[in-house]
Amino acid sequence: MRNVTHAAVLLGAVSLALPLGMPAANARSSGVEKTLKAADTDNDGSIDLKEATAAAEALFDKLEKDKDGTVDTKELQGRVSKKDLKAADPDNDGTLDKKEFLALVEQRFKAADPDNDGTVDAKELKTAAGLALSALLK
């Protein structure tokens, strides 16, 4: 009876823990799928730099609400850390113009493409570098 009780407690704990861990994995997969669906215009299952740039340009235009030609920390909505913003901002004005934003996208694209095949697939998008790239595409 004691073993049955321990087994029931263990099974209950596992069943409670599974749903808690699932959303994060599903969210990551869902985010990757959304990025691929939005950016993979030739539907080959991967994103090349041209597709990434096109998606990033569209996002920049959407985020740039005050129409001053730049995006600031508020407009970026957490997509870029303060440290990354500073590194991507050579004129040190606290904002990114479209050219600076696209340079950051290219840098993140290269980081997300460790095999240097010129594309980023779903597996690569699930990495930390891929997720950082994804944040600038959707």
Side-chain angles (χ1 to χ4, degrees):
M1 181 68 174
R2 186 174 184 174
N3 287 341
V4 172
T5 303
H6 287 319
V9 169
L10 181 60
L11 182 60
V14 169
S15 66
L16 287 175
L18 282 176
L20 296 175
M22 296 287 279
N26 287 342
R28 183 178 292 184
S29 292
S30 174
V32 166
E33 295 306 318
K34 286 180 183 177
T35 299
L36 276 173
K37 186 175 182 179
D40 180 20
T41 56
D42 63 5
N43 297 311
D44 68 350
S46 64
I47 301 168
D48 61 30
L49 185 56
K50 182 179 175 184
E51 291 169 322
T53 299
E57 285 179 339
L59 178 63
F60 182 93
D61 293 341
K62 178 181 167 188
L63 295 175
E64 202 258 309
K65 302 225 186 271
D66 59 9
K67 304 303 176 199
D68 67 352
T70 65
V71 288
D72 59 23
T73 304
K74 183 178 178 184
E75 290 169 313
L76 286 166
Q77 303 170 355
R79 287 177 168 85
V80 178
S81 71
K82 288 181 182 181
K83 179 182 173 185
D84 288 344
L85 177 66
K86 185 174 175 115
D89 181 22
D91 58 7
N92 296 313
D93 67 353
T95 67
L96 298 179
D97 61 26
K98 191 177 275 190
K99 182 179 175 184
E100 292 166 337
F101 184 78
L102 294 178
L104 179 60
V105 169
E106 184 173 354
Q107 176 187 8
R108 287 189 176 183
F109 182 89
K110 289 178 181 179
D113 181 25
D115 59 5
N116 295 312
D117 69 350
T119 63
V120 176
D121 60 22
K123 182 179 177 184
E124 291 166 326
L125 278 175
K126 290 178 185 176
T127 66
L131 293 171
L133 171 64
S134 181
L136 299 181
L137 303 183
K138 62 178 177 100

